[in-house]
């Protein structure tokens, strides 16, 4: 078997070509791919951190929102309670005021009744005196007496 000199030259040329390509292209390509891989890893790590922060912020927002809702409900209940208290106070005040007005009206009615009775007594006594005078001034028969009483009552009714 004889080895051909060209074959050896071709193998040597191929090896030199592989060595040159390795030095010129393969190592920079590996370096580029390694850098790219590291950059992608860094980007993925940053994205994961951003996602984690976003989830934490989301949870914090939910907690804050829930606390705000609870505060609003608490304030609503307090407002409702204060409104009920105010309503009760106003109703009690109105009842007291109505009782006062009713008491005042009763007193005024009692006073007016007393005054009306006094006026009526005076009127009755003056009417009685008037009738007695008329009876005494002339001697009256029963018919005249009835007529005189009816006349006096008519005068009282119209006066």
């Amino acid at each position: 078997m004889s080895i051909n000199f060209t074959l050896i030259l071709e193998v040597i040329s191929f090896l030199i070509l592989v060595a040159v390509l390795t030095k010129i292209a393969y190592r920079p390509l590996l370096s580029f791919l390694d850098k790219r891989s590291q950059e992608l890893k860094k980007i993925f790590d940053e994205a994961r951190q951003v996602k984690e922060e976003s989830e934490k912020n989301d949870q914090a927002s939910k907690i804050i929102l829930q606390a705000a809702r609870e505060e609003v409900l608490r304030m609503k209940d307090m407002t409702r309670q204060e409104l009920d208290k105010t309503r009760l106070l106003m109703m009690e005040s109105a009842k007291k005021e109505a009782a006062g007005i009713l008491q005042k009206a009763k007193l005024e009615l009692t006073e007016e009744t007393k005054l009306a009775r006094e006026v009526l007594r005076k009127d009755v006594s003056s009417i009685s005196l008037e009738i007695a005078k008329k009876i005494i001034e002339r001697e009256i028969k029963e018919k005249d007496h009835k007529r005189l009483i009816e006349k006096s009552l008519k005068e009282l009714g119209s006066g």
Side-chain angles (χ1 to χ4, degrees), residues 96-141:
K96 286 179 182 178
E97 188 176 334
I101 291 171
L102 184 62
Q103 185 67 26
K104 185 177 177 182
K106 285 180 181 179
L107 289 174
E108 288 177 2
L109 183 62
T110 304
E111 288 178 19
E112 288 179 12
T113 304
K114 286 179 184 178
L115 184 62
R117 284 182 181 167
E118 286 179 29
V119 169
L120 188 59
R121 280 186 198 137
K122 288 178 183 178
D123 287 346
V124 168
S125 64
S126 66
I127 290 172
S128 297
L129 285 174
E130 192 77 28
I131 290 174
K133 276 185 187 178
K134 288 181 182 180
I135 290 174
I136 292 174
E137 287 178 3
R138 61 184 168 136
E139 200 172 306
I140 310 174
K141 297 183 179 172

Side-chain angles (χ1 to χ4, degrees), residues 39-110:
E39 287 177 11
L40 287 175
K41 186 178 179 183
K42 187 187 280 186
I43 289 171
F44 284 131
D45 288 342
E46 287 175 4
R48 188 179 319 113
Q49 287 177 350
V50 168
K51 183 180 176 185
E52 288 172 0
E53 283 183 34
S54 174
E55 289 174 355
K56 287 179 185 177
N57 289 339
D58 188 40
Q59 290 175 352
S61 296
K62 286 179 182 178
I63 291 170
I64 291 170
L65 183 62
Q66 182 63 31
R69 284 181 183 150
E70 290 173 1
E71 180 68 18
V72 166
L73 289 174
R74 187 182 63 77
M75 290 175 67
K76 184 179 176 183
D77 287 342
M78 286 178 58
T79 303
R80 184 177 295 130
Q81 289 173 357
E82 288 178 14
L83 181 65
D84 289 342
K85 286 179 185 177
T86 303
R87 188 179 300 137
L88 287 174
L89 289 174
M90 289 177 70
M91 287 177 66
E92 288 175 10
S93 174
K95 285 179 182 178
K96 286 179 182 178
E97 188 176 334
I101 291 171
L102 184 62
Q103 185 67 26
K104 185 177 177 182
K106 285 180 181 179
L107 289 174
E108 288 177 2
L109 183 62
T110 304

